[in-house]
Amino acid sequence: MGDVVIKNNTFTNNVRDLVLGTNSPGGDTTQDETANFDIVLFGNTAMKVVNNSSSEADEANRTEIIDSKYLVELNYYEGTNVEKTEDGTGLVVDASSDDFDIVSSLEELEQNTEVDSLFIDYGSYSITINKEDIKDDLTNTITDLSLSVGQSTTTDGLLEYAKDGNVFIKTNVSGELPATKVVLGLNLIEYANKKVNLYYFNTDTNELEFVNTVTFDENGNADVALEHYSEYVLSLNDLTLNEDIENPSTNDNVITYVVLGIVAVVGIAGTLVYLKKSKLN
């Protein structure tokens, strides 16, 4: 993937960990450009990369701190710094960065022929959008794909399910997604090695609708495909069962017993009459 690969290193508090280019510039003197080669970083702790091809006199302005949690393709000659998934097929963006924008990220995905998906890192969860699922028109789609995941809810229709370890997924906005579906990446260690029911909360009927069964791996990781943003519930139980049994009132019981008694008496009387006639014959 590149001329130089640096991975799985632990860097301490060094002044500089990697230096690219020629001698350090002085003043505003422009140094020779760094040779055109790629550097691939992966699995390293935060490292200080100094680009001495820059004309910046202050080394701090020539230094970039890179935490290669993901695969980083770095090329100062071309001015690129691209983060990708471990297999190199997905473009990675950090949702917490100041310049994050979902539409521009999707446009970059469409233009990049080396990747086929966009992986948005939200920290405690992720959203993945496949290139083939991106809608043609993004002008009216929602640009906030953040959501909350937890065992509490403030939605009236869901309060009764806030028990038994159920997990609620609540999207922060509603509207048209920029793709036909997005894939929510979850890590819930309490669901490790378990199959969990996913339910969609229909706000029109105020009822839960079964979507599918989600299988979590041994580390509690699972992918959940969402075709629209709303509220969802994950549960080990069948929440669509109607456990409310309507008990008849006391008056209804009395009437029932009276009717059954009358039927029984009539039945006995009919039997006696039949036997009497049979005997006479």
Side-chain angles (χ1 to χ4, degrees), residues 68-262:
S68 53
K69 172 183 177 183
Y70 302 103
L71 187 151
V72 179
E73 293 181 354
L74 182 66
N75 189 314
Y76 281 129
Y77 183 84
E78 297 178 350
T80 58
N81 184 340
V82 180
E83 280 192 292
K84 294 183 178 181
T85 53
E86 182 176 356
D87 60 4
T89 64
L91 186 67
V92 175
V93 292
D94 184 359
S96 64
S97 63
D98 294 335
D99 58 351
F100 168 67
D101 177 73
I102 184 62
V103 174
S104 60
S105 296
L106 290 175
E107 291 174 345
E108 183 179 355
L109 169 62
E110 290 181 311
Q111 295 168 4
N112 192 322
T113 59
E114 297 181 354
V115 293
D116 54 23
S117 64
L118 176 68
F119 181 90
I120 309 173
D121 184 4
Y122 285 91
S124 58
Y125 60 90
S126 65
I127 296 291
T128 299
I129 301 177
N130 294 319
K131 182 182 292 185
E132 62 184 9
D133 295 328
I134 301 176
K135 293 182 178 177
D136 294 333
D137 185 5
L138 299 176
T139 55
N140 295 318
T141 58
I142 57 176
T143 57
D144 182 6
L145 297 181
S146 62
L147 44 81
S148 62
V149 180
Q151 294 184 348
S152 62
T153 181
T154 57
T155 303
D156 292 339
L158 293 176
L159 291 175
E160 62 179 302
Y161 302 109
K163 57 184 179 181
D164 301 328
N166 296 334
V167 173
F168 300 91
I169 302 172
K170 181 178 176 61
T171 59
N172 292 334
V173 294
S174 60
E176 184 178 345
L177 287 171
T180 55
K181 69 177 179 180
V182 300
V183 179
L184 169 63
L186 293 173
N187 177 256
L188 299 170
I189 194 61
E190 61 268 35
Y191 286 155
N193 288 319
K194 295 180 180 179
K195 292 185 177 181
V196 185
N197 296 321
L198 175 67
Y199 299 93
Y200 157 69
F201 180 62
N202 190 325
T203 55
D204 294 330
T205 63
N206 221 36
E207 294 180 349
L208 290 176
E209 298 177 2
F210 176 76
V211 179
N212 56 32
T213 300
V214 180
T215 302
F216 285 77
D217 66 16
E218 67 275 9
N219 298 314
N221 297 312
D223 291 335
V224 179
L226 305 178
E227 295 183 356
H228 56 274
Y229 260 28
S230 182
E231 291 193 63
Y232 296 84
V233 182
L234 286 167
S235 179
L236 292 170
N237 305 314
D238 187 349
L239 301 183
T240 58
L241 286 176
N242 185 7
E243 299 177 351
D244 296 330
I245 300 175
E246 185 176 352
N247 295 315
S249 64
T250 304
N251 291 335
D252 291 339
N253 283 335
V254 172
I255 294 173
T256 301
Y257 294 146
V258 170
V259 171
L260 290 176
I262 293 173

Side-chain angles (χ1 to χ4, degrees), residues 53-64:
S53 290
S54 169
S55 61
E56 292 285 349
D58 188 353
E59 182 171 309
N61 294 329
R62 304 194 306 272
T63 302
E64 183 177 11

